[in-house]
Amino acid sequence: MAGTKTLLMLENFIGGKFLPCHSYIDSYDPSTGEVYCKVPNSGKEEVEAAVEAARAAFPGWSSRSPKERSQVLRRLADLLEQSLEELAQAESKDQGKTVTLARTMDIPRSVENFRFFASSILHHTSECTQMDHLGCLHYTVRAPVGIAGLISPWNLPLYLLTWKIAPAIAAGNTVIAKPSELTSVTAWMMCKLLEKAGVPPGVVNIVFGTGPRVGEALVSHPEVPVISFTGSQPTAERITQLSAPHCKKLSLELGGKNPAIVFDDANLEECIPTTVRSSFANQVRSYIKKARAEGAQILCGEGVDKLSLPSRNQGGYFMPPTVITDIKDESSCMKEEIFGPVTCIVPFDSEEEVIKRANSVKYGLAATVWSSNVGRIHRVAKKLQSGLVWTNCWLIRELNLPFGGMKSSGIGREGAKDSYEFFTEIKTITIKH
């Protein structure tokens, strides 16, 4: 029919094959607000099929040497890199971030995730001790856990999905991954590259769908002993409840309310552009209404400035960058994570005051501190209740070092050593001679 739009139809990837689903979910183009894609509305049946495929693939994959697995990860990284522009365009359309951001951060980091863990898996060592008086030698070995359940969020779709898949399969596990049903396209595109990269059928399985249907079936399955989740605190609480009867290993990377602390001796030429990027990088109007009702001042953005959009984008999910001042620490805008281009600016008088106020929120994922006083930077960074503290910079990552938050920002850490330890089980062996 003339004028009918062709929708992109995704399929689950189970046991090395693309499989259709009985029902589908609408996925929207955030720039227009129109349906452009159909995502499988999977459930227990599809999760069970993925478990069977992962179970069958585990003996062969786990018996490969770290070097053999490393070579597969490197080939997959190369194939992703060759498809960088196609993936960046798709990520932008599906998630709503700019093509430039997807092209320069999301997709290159997805490539680097596979290359990094392809290298790090070759360099882990084990412990060994002797008890000469008893004629005993003790040493440790690590083995893959089995089937890993991986659940990734909508804000960094391929970036965070590969951050979980890469260390899991590098360590010899097989995986069942559930991307966000809101942003599933680049995960589906990656599946097209797995066979060419040499990933055996069943090693990587992607089951699309919602949390209540796919996520709950995955985390409650008795044959999935390890769950890595990035998302909200309420969902993490549900995962904890469902997994508790099986004593599963959990890695929960949750929300954050990340303070940016700017002292009066900060280099503003570096601080302001970086802080603007960190504040407005993500793409929530109820919070702004609450802030206004509480007496806060909206300096610019929502309710103050009007967006001028092309006609085709009038139904899209656009919002102007919004700055709020004269706001109380008890306000929900100061306490809760806002996934939108909204920032609150409040003054402070001393180190002690700002540390206390920054630590008063329930989250503790990350913070930034801006000052030219090296002693102050060390003092403040040490006292902040955050898993990461960037000083005079933002989002510079060393993948060898731990990533993760304190308090309600999660449980566990991710990184070269931490991810390896999470996706393996340690065993102590004693030899008497």
Side-chain angles (χ1 to χ4, degrees):
M1 183 182 296
T4 301
K5 293 183 179 180
T6 302
L7 299 180
L8 182 63
M9 298 289 292
L10 306 190
E11 293 179 310
N12 291 317
F13 188 76
I14 299 172
K17 298 178 180 179
F18 286 102
L19 302 175
C21 192
H22 300 302
S23 63
Y24 289 82
I25 306 166
D26 289 339
S27 183
Y28 294 83
D29 178 344
S31 72
T32 64
E34 297 175 351
V35 176
Y36 89 104
C37 176
K38 292 285 188 177
V39 177
N41 187 22
S42 308
K44 288 185 178 180
E45 179 183 343
E46 290 79 9
V47 170
E48 191 60 48
V51 169
E52 291 178 9
R55 183 199 309 127
F58 179 73
W61 181 248
S62 61
S63 65
R64 293 196 185 191
S65 68
K67 183 177 180 180
E68 290 172 318
R69 296 196 297 265
S70 173
Q71 290 169 344
V72 173
L73 266 67
R74 290 184 186 279
R75 286 196 293 269
L76 182 53
D78 291 343
L79 292 171
L80 286 170
E81 190 169 53
Q82 291 167 20
S83 304
L84 189 149
E85 184 59 27
E86 182 183 2
L87 288 164
Q89 294 286 342
E91 199 76 292
S92 174
K93 183 170 185 176
D94 198 36
Q95 198 272 346
K97 64 183 62 194
T98 65
V99 175
T100 298
L101 188 60
R103 185 186 292 134
T104 58
M105 185 183 78
D106 289 61
I107 308 307
R109 173 60 190 275
S110 302
V111 172
E112 178 60 21
N113 286 339
F114 282 109
R115 287 191 177 143
F116 176 80
F117 286 105
S119 174
S120 69
I121 195 63
L122 302 176
H123 304 294
H124 295 290
T125 59
S126 61
E127 298 172 294
C128 179
T129 62
Q130 294 180 212
M131 296 176 68
D132 291 336
H133 63 293
L134 294 178
C136 288
L137 177 74
H138 310 271
Y139 65 93
T140 60
V141 295
R142 283 193 171 271
V145 180
I147 303 172
L150 313 176
I151 303 175
S152 56
W154 62 268
N155 58 323
L156 296 164
L158 193 62
Y159 178 132
L160 289 181
L161 181 66
T162 56
W163 179 238
K164 297 179 184 298
I165 291 176
I169 65 173
N173 301 280
T174 54
V175 305
I176 302 169
K178 189 204 91 65
S180 169
E181 69 275 16
L182 303 177
T183 51
S184 297
V185 171
T186 49
W188 173 75
M189 293 171 69
M190 181 188 69
C191 292
K192 298 180 179 182
L193 306 175
L194 295 177
E195 182 179 3
K196 189 175 181 180
V199 179
V203 171
V204 175
N205 305 276
I206 309 288
V207 181
F208 299 102
T210 65
R213 286 175 57 84
V214 176
E216 294 207 358
L218 182 58
V219 302
S220 62
H221 199 290
E223 292 187 64
V224 182
V226 57
I227 301 292
S228 176
F229 168 77
T230 299
S232 70
Q233 183 186 353
T235 303
E237 292 174 5
R238 180 63 176 158
I239 289 172
T240 303
Q241 293 169 356
L242 291 171
S243 63
H246 306 287
C247 296
K248 300 188 180 212
K249 294 181 73 174
L250 297 180
S251 174
L252 306 174
E253 199 274 280
L254 310 179
K257 190 64 177 175
N258 305 334
I261 300 172
V262 183
F263 286 96
D264 56 6
D265 59 350
N267 182 336
L268 297 184
E269 291 184 3
E270 293 182 0
C271 168
I272 298 303
T274 304
T275 304
V276 167
R277 287 202 311 277
S278 68
S279 299
F280 299 131
N282 284 311
Q283 302 59 40
V284 148
R285 292 189 168 97
S286 61
Y287 281 100
I288 297 169
K289 290 180 181 178
K290 288 181 183 177
R292 185 178 279 113
E294 292 166 347
Q297 182 179 358
I298 315 300
L299 290 186
C300 62
E302 182 66 21
V304 177
D305 302 307
K306 188 175 181 180
L307 284 173
S308 178
L309 298 170
S311 57
R312 72 179 298 270
N313 301 117
Q314 292 293 329
Y317 312 145
F318 292 91
M319 181 178 176
T322 301
V323 177
I324 304 174
T325 60
D326 297 331
I327 189 166
K328 298 177 181 178
D329 287 2
E330 297 75 26
S331 170
S332 57
C333 287
M334 292 288 287
K335 293 288 189 181
E336 299 174 20
E337 184 176 27
I338 305 176
F339 268 108
V342 179
T343 193
C344 302
I345 300 176
V346 293
F348 62 90
D349 294 318
S350 67
E351 285 183 28
E352 293 73 19
E353 176 199 348
V354 76
I355 290 168
K356 182 178 179 180
R357 293 169 68 183
N359 289 340
S360 68
V361 298
K362 67 178 181 179
Y363 298 109
L365 181 58
T368 56
V369 180
W370 295 86
S371 174
S372 59
N373 184 322
V374 176
R376 169 185 282 162
I377 282 175
H378 284 290
R379 287 193 303 273
V380 175
K382 186 175 181 179
K383 293 179 181 178
L384 288 173
Q385 295 170 358
S386 296
L388 300 95
V389 180
W390 285 289
T391 65
N392 296 328
C393 63
W394 173 66
L395 211 57
I396 296 175
R397 287 278 288 115
E398 162 56 91
L399 301 187
N400 280 294
L401 299 183
F403 177 91
M406 301 178 179
K407 301 189 290 187
S408 292
S409 285
I411 298 171
R413 295 292 186 270
E414 297 170 317
K417 181 174 180 288
D418 296 271
S419 294
Y420 177 66
E421 292 180 351
F422 177 70
F423 286 114
T424 57
E425 291 283 15
I426 192 167
K427 180 186 298 183
T428 298
I429 299 174
T430 298
I431 307 294
K432 186 171 176 60
H433 53 82

